[in-house]
Amino acid sequence: MTADHTQETPPVRLRSDGAVDEETLAYARAKIDAVLGRPGLPVVTGEVHLVRAAAHHAGHPWSATADLRIGGRQVFAVAEEATGTEVVDRLRARLRRQADKAAQARDDGHRTTAPPWRGGGGRPGPAAATGSGAAEDSRTA
């Protein structure tokens, strides 16, 4: 049976499968909102899925997946743990790292220029100034 729970921020859905209690869902909502609701983060959409396996003998019966779009970047994180709070904490840490990367590398068309030694604009490097370098080394076979 699948329970569909929607967070306060509608673009990100929190879903659960299995015997996931309301306390774990509330904990997951709070942690995910803390990561994805930070100021300076681009628009976030997607889904977080929390699953508790029915098999009691499973080593890590809890799993969580997040499939999100942060700005123009696709973010996917997976975690498996023994308890609900552990899996939420692990997923939160992974989402935090991914969200930080997405915030730093926004797809707004702004790119830094490469340094001169990598072919970017600016002053010519020592190889270009002396006339030696890659131009002399590139010979046809």
Side-chain angles (χ1 to χ4, degrees), residues 80-91:
E80 290 184 346
E81 288 297 329
T83 67
T85 55
E86 288 176 353
V87 77
V88 169
D89 289 340
R90 175 73 53 106
L91 185 70

Side-chain angles (χ1 to χ4, degrees), residues 24-141:
T24 304
L25 286 172
Y27 184 74
R29 277 188 202 99
K31 293 295 183 174
I32 292 167
D33 282 344
V35 171
L36 301 178
R38 295 188 331 237
L41 204 60
V43 175
V44 181
T45 58
E47 179 176 278
V48 176
H49 194 185
L50 193 61
V51 178
R52 183 175 182 185
H56 62 83
H57 63 289
H60 296 290
W62 289 87
S63 66
T65 58
D67 187 8
L68 305 172
R69 193 118 180 111
I70 300 177
R73 177 174 242 180
Q74 185 73 29
V75 172
F76 191 76
V78 178
E80 290 184 346
E81 288 297 329
T83 67
T85 55
E86 288 176 353
V87 77
V88 169
D89 289 340
R90 175 73 53 106
L91 185 70
R92 181 201 55 81
R94 291 179 179 176
L95 280 177
R96 176 79 179 207
R97 282 192 301 271
Q98 295 287 340
D100 288 345
K101 287 180 185 179
Q104 290 175 356
R106 291 187 200 155
D107 288 341
D108 59 355
H110 178 69
R111 302 277 187 243
T112 59
T113 58
W117 58 89
R118 295 219 173 153
R123 297 184 311 169
T130 60
S132 63
E136 292 181 13
D137 290 340
S138 60
R139 291 173 251 174
T140 57

Side-chain angles (χ1 to χ4, degrees), residues 1-3 16-21 49-54 62:
M1 184 169 140
T2 302
S16 64
D17 283 337
V20 179
D21 55 310
H49 194 185
L50 193 61
V51 178
R52 183 175 182 185
W62 289 87

